[in-house]
Amino acid sequence: MSQFRALAGVLRGGCAGGGQWLRGSRGGPARRWVDSRRGCSSTSSAGAAPVLSAVASSSSYVEEMYFAWLEDHKNVHESWDAFFRNIQASSPSGEAGERRPSALLQGRVLSHSPDMAQKVVEDHLAVHTLIRAYQIRGHHVAQLDPLGILEADLDSFVPSDLITTIDKLGFYGLDESDLDRSFQLPPTTFIGGENTTLPLREIIRRLETSYCGHIGVEFMFINNVDQCQWIRQKFETPGIMQFTSAEKRTLLARLIRSTRFEDFLARKWSSEKRFGLEGCEVLIPALKTIIDKSSSAGIDSVIMGMPHRGRLNVLANVIRKDLDQIFCQFDPKLEAADEGSGDVKYHLGMYHERINRETDKNITLSLMANPSHLEAVDPVVQGKAKAEQFYRGDTQGKKVMSILMHGDAAFAGQGVVYETFHLSELPSYTTHGTIHVVVNNQIGFTTDPRVARSSPYPTDVARVVNAPIFHVNADDPEAVMYVCRVAAEWRTTFNKDVVIDLVCYRRFGHNEMDEPMFTQPLMYKQIRRQEHVLKKYSDKLIAEGVVTLQEFEEEVAKYDKICEEAYTSSKDEKILHIRHWLDSPWPDFFTAEGEPKSMSCVPTGLEEEVLQHIGQTASSVPLEDFKIHPVGASRLAELVNAWLFAPINSCWASCWLRIRREEGTFHGAPLHRHHVLHDQEVDKRICVPMNHLWDNQAPYTVCNSSLSEYGVLGFELGFAMANPNALILWEAQFGDFHNTAQCIIDQFISSGQAKWVRNNGIVLLLPHGMEGMGPEHSSARPERFLQMSKDDPDHFPEYSGDFEVQQLYDCNWIVVNCSTPANYCHVLRRQILLPFRKPLIIFTPKSLLRHPDARSSFDDLAKGTKFKRLIPDQGPANQTPDQVKRVIFCTGKVYYELAKERKQQNLEREIAIIRLEQISPFPFDQVRAEVEKYTSAELVWCQEEHKNMGYYDYVRPRFLTVVANKKPVWYVGRDPAAAPATGNKSTHLNELRRFMDTAFNLSAFQGKDL
Ligand SMILES: Cc1ncc(C[n+]2csc(CCOP(=O)(O)OP(=O)(O)O)c2C)c(N)n1
Ligand SMILES: [Mg+2]
């Protein structure tokens, strides 16, 4: 069947000067249909459009028209013309030339006029249905596969309503005799151009041209008529796909660069992994066309994300990274100059400001660094684009846009693609249209599409947001350029997503060491026979006289020389600078060398008047006539003293605070929802009191999101990348849910700086605590964050400067569990006031929201106060440390349970309780001071989590380093377990009771070995 499709395509393509060919029925050969010389008739309209019922009701009117028609066919409307032609054609010879209408019309027509009218109506309906069938399903039979052996939609059957051979026209109630009849065209098609009627033969020919050539347009699912009309106009208007000679030459030059770049790499480093673009070289001119078009529409910043395939080519020929910088990445001997572990060359990002040669306008292009994890970068790109739009006041996406590239297997398979699409129309997340480009080489490593996806196309996911999808045969560069042009115009016009599906092939293996004949023998036999697209296109342009062979060869030689020269100069590079590959530089935040401007942090306390003012504003309703919910009103008062005081305070600085709250946050969740007041009487009227603090304050945003962790966390991470002076917080509904965003945490947040030398100050708010809520609502998995913290457990760091700041500078992220509102406030303020950026993970026990003891006074926030990495014992034990028998170190909410129990057991002199507020980096200096204070006490680590979870594995070796392995550190907490918490309330309480008993049993560890 696929061969048949290919055959049909070839024949259709070859019919220009001779016969016309159409598809046959399933599997059958294409059949010769009609001689084009008998083709379309003149169809210019004249006379009034006929009212069909007039045929039945007014014979004189018909006669009048008939006489007019006999004089000159152009005297009447085309449909009358068609009508009289039909009658004439069906009349016995001799009558056809009859000038008297009575015999002809009255005898033949009028006596049968109701039937005739019925037939005319039915035939018109049939033709309209046929037009619609092409619009809806034409892409299924478009000639998309350059190899001619596969089906882009994985289906070899031709829809029966698209089989328009003579023997199958009966499907529509039509037959061969109808082919030369003219039909009125509906307003939902543009195939007529200036004409409002066309013969059926021509209608089919034009539909075939528009929908079944090298472009397959998928759009009829869009539920907006204007948008559908817009697309129809772009693809149906006769002759709309035109290119000037200059445009064709530019296209050829770009294709030369793309092709010769890969050839050059293959020649110089034949066995190096680079994930070559061969088979889809057209990607480079495609991207450049999108950028040119968008630039001329006013875009001056493009943020891009892409996978491995062709990445080096995009860096070289789209972003214009210096070639020698790329080539020196292939030198295995070069050492890296920067801190961190770096990344392989086909993951690195880039930021470049340049002039767009086509428009002569400035444009900034950035390609985001990404991990191997396919599609993970999608939401990150969107977040960065959104942030840039925000800072530039680009509320409509007219200045900043994003382009995402995808592989066919990953686009269909990775869930984050769907999650990202679902952000595309949300007010706080939209980037006002992303252009997606799929390098659809019809293979994913060694996997054929038919076993890799259930959807017909790899692009079907885009249908959920009504994005039009343009499938295009990548071996037809002009068709590709055309859809790119339309895609860019679509975004400019509607500010919505659009997908370009470049149906291509992969000339070699998945990477340069792979042999594809092992797994795809037939496909690769065909690929070996496949002529290169550059050869095909250059031959075409030479034949057309657009370029000469000599010009073509000169252009090739010119680019080869550029590559050779860059190769020579790349050998002068002595050292690799990952910093040169930064995708999001912050030039004003760091020194010219990319270093922090200081290595200290200003105190984070505040004037009491400021605190008062913030508290009062936050607990007020600053808008007049604004009715808030009575319970909400009481919560507002709570805000002042409770947990939320902290983030409120944090935003007074000149930074933007953006709190992202996961959809479905309700009871017991941090009260962030009370940062947005909802008028109880006016629909959708809201008020954010925190935006009413001062006239010149920074904006403060609290937003709900789609119910996605992977997508939304990635987005917020990208947002935080754009500007260091924004405090971006992402809050999970419960901490456990972060594991559906694990890839963003592992691949970007934990390791991003080490791989790509870029800072990021995102804050994760993760509700965490054993509160009897069951296995899935208890643990934010602190053990995982701590396991990935890079501070050395066995080495006591010695710093000459500010210990706290130096340690933060060295770490990969900060992990805290604050037990007081004041400390929470301070840690957020420290986050934005540090001279560098590190991700901050905050465990936020829900029960502390309303815990009567979890309160802070203004004194704890006053000027001169700061974040406490460790809170020493605050009772009698601290006064007489030599009498203390046991020191319990802990973190988080268990402190309050321990303190209560100690009080009940009257052990406040014997047992000291010390809170680690910053768990990582481990406050070695302060822990040592505490340990040295309580010289004769035994050391205990107490946690409410199970032994194989929580903090124990992290803190234990560090405590031992502090005490130089001279003292044991005893464990008190829940036993090891597989699930993070029990689902049974009474078991939960029993476990708590049990470990509390151990914590306060002073002989519990006597005589025990380590
Ligand atoms: C999330 C993820 N899973 C698996 C891989 C391993 N992998 C790398 S490339 C690839 C095939 C991708 O196919 P496709 O998306 O079609 O891109 P192509 O290589 O064909 O351009 C796979 C499975 C990966 N990088 N990321
Ligand atoms: Mg692929």
Side-chain angles (χ1 to χ4, degrees), residues 308-309 372-374 407-410 414 441 443-445 510:
H308 49 286
R309 179 91 37 226
S372 234
H373 294 58
L374 294 164
D408 53 319
Q414 294 293 311
N441 51 21
I443 193 166
F445 210 138
H510 175 65

Side-chain angles (χ1 to χ4, degrees), residues 806-954:
Q806 290 280 350
Q807 208 186 12
L808 293 176
Y809 181 70
D810 280 352
C811 76
N812 56 326
W813 57 17
I814 307 161
V815 182
V816 303
N817 192 344
C818 301
S819 63
T820 69
N823 230 17
Y824 182 38
C825 171
H826 283 301
V827 82
L828 289 179
R829 284 181 46 72
R830 183 184 76 172
Q831 183 70 358
I832 200 73
L833 294 171
L834 278 172
F836 46 81
R837 294 286 171 260
K838 297 282 170 172
L840 171 62
I841 318 299
I842 309 185
F843 301 117
T844 55
K846 294 195 179 196
S847 65
L848 290 198
L849 284 169
R850 295 194 190 87
H851 197 291
D853 298 332
R855 289 182 176 247
S856 300
S857 76
F858 272 10
D859 293 344
D860 299 321
L861 290 160
K863 239 186 157 14
T865 56
K866 58 183 284 207
F867 174 65
K868 292 177 178 153
R869 289 177 289 148
L870 173 150
I871 303 181
D873 189 280
Q874 294 176 320
N878 194 19
Q879 308 306 317
T880 50
D882 42 340
Q883 292 178 24
V884 170
K885 299 199 171 61
R886 175 177 290 176
V887 180
I888 300 178
F889 285 91
C890 65
T891 188
K893 86 168 201 351
V894 75
Y895 164 77
Y896 292 100
E897 275 140 359
L898 287 167
K900 188 172 158 205
E901 185 70 21
R902 178 177 64 173
K903 192 164 184 195
Q904 276 169 4
Q905 296 203 27
N906 206 11
L907 287 169
E908 284 170 304
R909 290 192 179 283
E910 288 81 0
I911 296 182
I913 306 178
I914 297 171
R915 285 171 268 177
L916 273 194
E917 300 280 296
Q918 177 176 298
I919 308 150
S920 180
F922 191 74
F924 281 98
D925 53 335
Q926 295 187 338
V927 171
R928 176 154 75 184
E930 291 298 311
V931 168
E932 285 174 356
K933 195 181 338 172
Y934 301 99
T935 40
S936 51
E938 60 183 6
L939 304 181
V940 165
W941 173 259
C942 178
Q943 65 178 32
E944 57 178 354
E945 294 82 2
H946 290 282
K947 192 172 183 179
N948 54 331
M949 300 172 195
Y951 321 90
Y952 179 57
D953 284 339
Y954 175 84

Side-chain angles (χ1 to χ4, degrees), residues 660-666 703-708 731 733:
R660 175 267 165 188
R661 191 170 74 84
E662 192 176 349
E663 171 63 36
T665 303
F666 31 74
C703 38
N704 277 325
S705 71
S706 91
L707 211 171
S708 137
E731 181 186 49
Q733 189 199 337

Side-chain angles (χ1 to χ4, degrees), residues 123-141 159-162 164 171-172 184-191 200 203-204 206-208 211-212 217-225 228-229 232 236:
D123 289 353
H124 269 79
L125 286 176
V127 170
H128 289 197
T129 309
L130 182 141
I131 293 171
R132 207 171 164 73
Y134 273 93
Q135 291 170 336
I136 296 172
R137 275 178 289 282
H139 56 86
H140 284 299
V141 292
S160 44
D161 54 355
L162 291 186
T164 42
F171 177 87
Y172 288 103
Q184 182 86 29
L185 297 169
T188 50
T189 188
F190 293 82
I191 54 169
L200 178 57
I203 290 175
I204 295 174
R206 292 191 187 189
L207 290 169
E208 289 273 331
Y211 290 111
C212 307
V217 194
E218 224 190 325
F219 69 105
M220 287 290 280
F221 52 83
I222 296 176
N223 46 27
N224 177 303
V225 178
C228 287
Q229 283 293 79
R232 284 191 274 251
E236 292 183 352

